[in-house]
Amino acid sequence: MTSVSTHEPALRAQSVIKELRGGDEPVLAVRGTSLTIPRGQFVAITGPSGSGKSTLLYLLGALDRPTSGRVYIDGQDTSSLADPALAALRREKIGFVFQFHFLLPELTALDNVALPMMLSGVAQPAARAQAEVLLDRLELSHRKAHLPHELSGGQQQRVALARALANSPLVLLGDEPTGNLDTANSLRVYEWLREHNLQQGQTIVLVTHNPELASAADRIIELVDGAVVNDSAPEPTEATV
C-alpha cells in the first residue's frame, strides 16, 4: 500500500519551532529542533512532563504544523502541502497509537483493524484477511470477534497497535502507548514492538516517560523545555526489554 523512496530518511525535522498561545506571552513548546530518523530505527523521545515530547511527535507525524521550520516525511516537505494532500500523506505513511486506544466501540477487534484498510480502498475480504494476520501476530486471534469493552486494557492497546499498522505505514508513532497499562502489559507491548522493528524493519518513534522502556530503543532523544538536550544510544543495562 505504501510507496517508499529508499534513499530518503523516514522523517526529518529542520529548525522546527512550535509556539503555543494561550496566555499573555507565547510559549515555545519546541525550540529549533533539527533531527533525522533513518528507516528502520527505533527511537524513544523522553523528558519531563511539559517538555514538548508529544508536540514534537505530532509535528513529526504531520498532525500539527510547525510555527516555523520544516518537517519531511519520506522526503516530502509537508509545509508545501494543502490540508487534503497532507492528510493523504499522513494516512499513507504514518501509523499512530496513543495512550488511550480510541477503538470504535461498536466494531469488533477484527473490524477495528480492517477499517483503515477499507477506507484506503482495500476490498472488505482482503482487509479482514490482513486484519486477521495482524491480530494473530499480536496473539489476539481468539479475541477477534470481541467488542472493545470485552477486552482487557492490554488487549485493547494491542488491537490499537494492529490498527495503526493496518496500512503498512512507513513510520509508527506512539504517544505514551503503554501509559494506561500495568508493568507486565507495558513490557509485553514493548517486546512486541521491538520484535516487529527488528523483523519487519519498521521505523518506530515512541514518547515515553519510562527509562526502562526507553532503554529498548536504538536511540533516545531527550527534551527539556522544548529543546533537545541529549540524542544518543541508550546506556547498556543488565536487563533490557
Side-chain angles (χ1 to χ4, degrees):
M1 295 174 198
T2 303
S3 61
V4 295
S5 305
T6 55
H7 62 289
E8 295 288 353
L11 299 172
R12 184 161 66 92
Q14 180 181 319
S15 303
V16 169
I17 292 173
K18 182 62 180 181
E19 285 187 0
L20 300 180
R21 298 184 178 274
D24 294 334
E25 297 183 2
V27 174
L28 285 178
V30 175
R31 299 171 180 263
T33 295
S34 294
L35 56 87
T36 298
I37 297 175
R39 294 165 184 275
Q41 194 168 65
F42 191 132
V43 180
I45 300 176
T46 67
S49 296
S51 60
K53 302 185 298 295
S54 294
T55 302
L56 176 60
L57 191 77
Y58 296 165
L59 292 171
L60 291 174
L63 280 178
D64 197 4
R65 293 183 184 266
T67 305
S68 64
R70 297 179 184 274
V71 172
Y72 298 83
I73 298 176
D74 195 20
Q76 175 68 63
D77 182 358
T78 59
S79 67
S80 68
L81 300 178
D83 287 345
L86 186 62
L89 178 69
R90 188 169 58 235
R91 185 169 57 249
E92 181 187 4
K93 302 287 187 179
I94 306 294
F96 290 96
V97 61
F98 301 95
Q99 185 169 343
F100 186 70
H101 55 77
F102 294 115
L103 299 175
L104 295 176
E106 69 277 11
L107 296 183
T108 65
L110 182 69
D111 289 332
N112 263 286
V113 177
L115 183 61
M117 291 180 275
M118 293 167 60
L119 292 175
S120 294
V122 178
Q124 185 181 53
R128 288 171 65 87
Q130 179 61 15
E132 290 206 40
V133 171
L134 288 166
L135 289 174
D136 182 58
R137 287 180 189 167
L138 283 156
E139 302 173 0
L140 286 171
S141 292
H142 63 299
R143 306 295 281 175
K144 65 183 181 182
H146 288 69
L147 296 171
H149 77 269
E150 298 172 320
L151 304 174
S152 69
Q155 289 170 341
Q156 290 170 341
Q157 196 64 317
R158 279 185 283 157
V159 173
L161 278 172
R163 181 184 59 187
L165 293 168
N167 280 326
S168 301
L170 174 66
V171 183
L172 176 67
L173 300 180
D175 189 9
E176 297 279 10
T178 63
N180 285 327
L181 303 181
D182 59 28
T183 300
N185 274 306
S186 294
L187 290 173
R188 181 66 192 96
V189 167
Y190 263 70
E191 286 170 354
W192 187 88
L193 285 169
R194 187 52 163 161
E195 180 180 299
H196 186 68
N197 162 254
L198 293 172
Q199 293 183 357
Q200 305 296 325
Q202 177 73 61
T203 308
I204 299 176
V205 184
L206 301 180
V207 165
T208 182
H209 65 277
N210 188 319
E212 183 179 4
L213 298 181
S215 70
D218 299 316
R219 175 183 178 188
I220 297 175
I221 297 171
E222 183 181 359
L223 296 183
V224 173
D225 293 332
V228 175
V229 297
N230 184 47
D231 184 350
S232 62
E235 292 292 329
T237 58
E238 292 184 4
T240 56
V241 176

